[in-house]
């Protein structure tokens, strides 16, 4: 039996230098449950250490946490990489770190805290997470798929760090699994503004960097259960699974 489930697939934690420090795992889970979300995606900038802790914080709760990352390509295009499990994400993280130059300056860019499910600071990430990898966008998408993940173009309607903002268009050869639009535009606005992109599934997410933003936008999906597999089926419009609205 299919159910309508709320999916907010783009949430940052305190690991992202531009996110508030209150975005620690237990607080994120509490807010997601308060907003009656069924699936969330943890997608920090070019890093993933907090994803497993958000999963642990959600253990036993009616919330599925998909491990992911928001990766910046060489062209400074942001792409969400979402995976079924932590092992896939860890392998992808190794690749990203091999192609991510620079070191963080906390006074300039912000703190990059690794916080566990008990609100304890495990350490700090010293890489330049606010920066971009040297991986071309096309290759980045291929590498996400090679690890079993899905690639979603981030905030397509934004002027900065989006595929249209940086490149001017969405190349049909880019094998994105979906396109994400900001809460400001929403799904109805996106369909009206970008009819030429109708061949891609459209999503909207909160892109939350602050607790109060979690769940300000979400995509309803008709799926059998809150799982990565069901999400993929909905994006592919298969077996009756689909994006609603």
């Amino acid at each position: 039996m299919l159910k309508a489930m709320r999916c907010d697939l783009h949430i940052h934690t305190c690991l992202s230098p531009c996110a508030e420090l209150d975005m620690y795992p237990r607080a994120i889970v509490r807010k997601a449950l308060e907003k009656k979300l069924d699936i969330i995606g943890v997608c920090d900038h070019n890093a993933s250490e907090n994803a497993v802790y958000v999963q642990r914080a959600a253990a036993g709760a009616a919330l599925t946490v998909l491990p992911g990352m928001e990766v910046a390509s060489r062209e400074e295009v942001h792409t969400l990489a979402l995976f079924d499990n932590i092992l896939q994400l860890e392998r992808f993280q190794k690749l990203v770190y091999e192609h991510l130059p620079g070191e963080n300056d906390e006074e300039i860019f912000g703190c990059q805290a690794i916080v566990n499910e008990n609100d304890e600071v495990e350490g700090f990430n010293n890489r330049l997470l606010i920066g971009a990898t040297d991986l071309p966008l096309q290759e980045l998408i291929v590498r996400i798929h090679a690890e079993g993940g899905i690639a979603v173009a981030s905030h397509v309607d934004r002027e900065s760090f989006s595929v249209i903002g940086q490149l001017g268009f969405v190349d049909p050869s880019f094998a994105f699994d979906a396109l994400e639009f900001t809460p400001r535009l929403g799904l109805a606005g996106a369909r009206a503004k970008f009819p030429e992109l109708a061949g891609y599934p459209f999503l909207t997410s909160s892109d939350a960097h602050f607790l109060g933003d979690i769940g300000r936008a979400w995509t309803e999906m008709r799926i059998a259960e809150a799982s990565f597999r069901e999400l993929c089926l909905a994006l592919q419009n298969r077996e009756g699974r689909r994006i609603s609205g």
Side-chain angles (χ1 to χ4, degrees):
M1 179 177 170
L2 302 184
K3 304 174 184 177
M5 295 195 177
R6 296 182 176 190
C7 307
D8 185 353
L9 302 176
H10 188 173
I11 295 176
H12 293 264
T13 78
C14 51
L15 179 57
S16 291
C18 45
E20 69 175 347
L21 291 177
D22 288 344
M23 293 289 277
Y24 50 85
R26 289 202 298 187
I28 290 171
V29 171
R30 282 197 300 268
K31 182 60 72 171
L33 292 172
E34 178 185 312
K35 292 291 186 175
K36 296 180 169 51
L37 298 175
D38 298 291
I39 303 176
I40 64 172
V42 176
C43 297
D44 282 308
H45 290 294
N46 295 314
S48 63
E49 286 88 348
N50 280 351
V52 66
Y53 296 128
V54 180
Q55 284 189 327
R56 291 176 185 175
L63 179 69
T64 294
V65 178
L66 297 182
M69 187 189 307
E70 184 172 26
V71 193
S73 72
R74 183 173 66 190
E75 304 89 343
E76 296 191 329
V77 174
H78 288 190
T79 299
L80 302 181
L82 291 162
F83 298 93
D84 185 34
N85 59 67
I86 289 292
L87 290 179
Q88 293 171 322
L89 179 59
E90 287 177 347
R91 289 194 297 266
F92 182 69
Q93 179 70 90
K94 182 179 179 182
L95 168 74
V96 169
Y97 281 164
E98 289 171 352
H99 292 271
L100 182 67
E103 185 173 336
N104 186 48
D105 185 327
E106 187 172 316
E107 292 186 4
I108 297 175
F109 302 114
C111 180
Q112 300 176 161
I114 302 169
V115 179
N116 68 25
E117 71 274 21
N118 298 315
D119 303 341
E120 299 165 338
V121 176
E122 294 280 339
F124 299 91
N125 190 317
N126 294 320
R127 293 177 172 87
L128 188 61
L129 302 184
I130 202 71
T133 69
D134 61 13
L135 289 165
L137 180 57
Q138 189 76 279
E139 181 180 352
L140 179 62
I141 296 171
V142 169
R143 295 297 193 103
I144 292 170
H145 290 156
E147 290 298 343
I150 57 175
V152 179
S154 301
H155 37 66
V156 170
D157 51 308
R158 273 182 47 181
E159 292 183 1
S160 58
F161 305 119
S162 69
V163 60
I164 292 179
Q166 299 301 115
L167 303 181
F169 65 104
V170 180
D171 190 317
S173 69
F174 294 159
F176 287 118
D177 298 285
L179 308 179
E180 177 204 57
F181 296 89
T182 66
R184 176 178 54 83
L185 187 62
L187 293 183
R191 293 189 184 98
K193 186 173 181 178
F194 298 103
E196 72 278 11
L197 300 178
Y200 293 96
F202 284 11
L203 304 175
T204 187
S205 306
S206 67
D207 189 8
H209 289 69
F210 303 88
L211 279 177
D213 289 340
I214 294 174
R216 67 174 173 155
W218 43 269
T219 303
E220 182 180 283
M221 299 195 185
R222 299 287 299 183
I223 51 182
E225 63 180 13
S227 69
F228 180 80
R229 178 181 182 277
E230 289 287 314
L231 171 66
C232 292
L233 289 175
L235 294 181
Q236 297 162 9
N237 199 26
R238 291 176 50 203
E239 300 180 26
R241 280 69 167 172
R242 61 185 175 84
I243 297 171
S244 304

